[in-house]
Amino acid sequence: KVLFSRSICQVTAAISSKIDKQTITKAYEDIRSDKNETQWGVFIIEGDTIKLSGTGNSFDEFKSSFGDGDRGFGFIRINTGDELSKRAKFVLVTWVGPGVSFVKKAKMSVDKTVIKEVILNYSVEILLDNDTDFTFEYFKTQVDKAGGANYGTGKRTDGTGI
């Protein structure tokens, strides 16, 4: 039994991707920091290594960082809350483009465990394989759902005061 268990561990280690841990950790900390303007980071798998592909602060840039043949991860800050309480929530995105082979798609579950060694805190996890749900509105809706009750003040912010 021990030999069998050891063999599985060796196979798992052989198929998991490496990670550029120092660079990805720095990006992760920048995104989580309220003192930094960085809103997102993209981590694409190149060969057998998960690497920082880019950072930025617009959702459109974030979305355009993922291609049809890419597989990787994104980490993005979504600001949410009501009129009295604004707060940052974080989303971990797993992207498997429509042009990715079946074998590489299957490997993503192993790669996800590797990225989660660095990306530790997030409110929502979203898996995407096409552009259909890759919208800010979809992300915001998922974050709001995960946050539970969403109470407003009962006062409109459109200037009517009602």
Side-chain angles (χ1 to χ4, degrees), residues 35-55:
K35 298 176 184 171
N36 194 308
E37 292 185 18
T38 304
Q39 298 292 304
W40 57 263
V42 172
F43 319 106
I44 298 295
I45 301 168
E46 295 177 10
D48 68 345
T49 306
I50 304 170
K51 297 180 179 179
L52 175 66
S53 174
T55 59

Side-chain angles (χ1 to χ4, degrees), residues 139-153:
F139 281 48
K140 178 90 166 69
T141 299
Q142 297 306 308
V143 167
D144 289 344
K145 283 182 186 178
N150 191 13
Y151 301 109
T153 61

Side-chain angles (χ1 to χ4, degrees), residues 55-123:
T55 59
N57 52 20
S58 105
F59 188 86
D60 291 336
E61 288 176 343
F62 177 67
K63 180 179 179 177
S64 70
S65 297
F66 296 94
D68 285 353
D70 290 335
R71 54 191 192 100
F73 306 94
F75 185 66
I76 186 167
R77 169 189 286 257
I78 303 289
N79 293 315
T80 188
D82 57 31
E83 301 86 9
L84 297 176
S85 176
K86 301 287 184 193
R87 48 201 175 273
K89 298 293 182 178
F90 301 91
V91 177
L92 174 63
V93 177
T94 301
W95 171 259
V96 183
V100 173
S101 73
F102 181 74
V103 172
K104 288 184 177 179
K105 284 180 184 181
K107 192 172 178 298
M108 285 301 288
S109 62
V110 176
D111 293 332
K112 190 185 293 189
T113 61
V114 175
I115 196 74
K116 285 182 175 181
E117 292 174 8
V118 177
I119 309 296
L120 302 172
N121 297 302
Y122 49 90
S123 300

Side-chain angles (χ1 to χ4, degrees), residues 120-132:
L120 302 172
N121 297 302
Y122 49 90
S123 300
V124 177
E125 185 173 343
I126 297 174
L127 171 62
L128 296 171
D129 60 3
N130 62 60
D131 287 345
T132 305

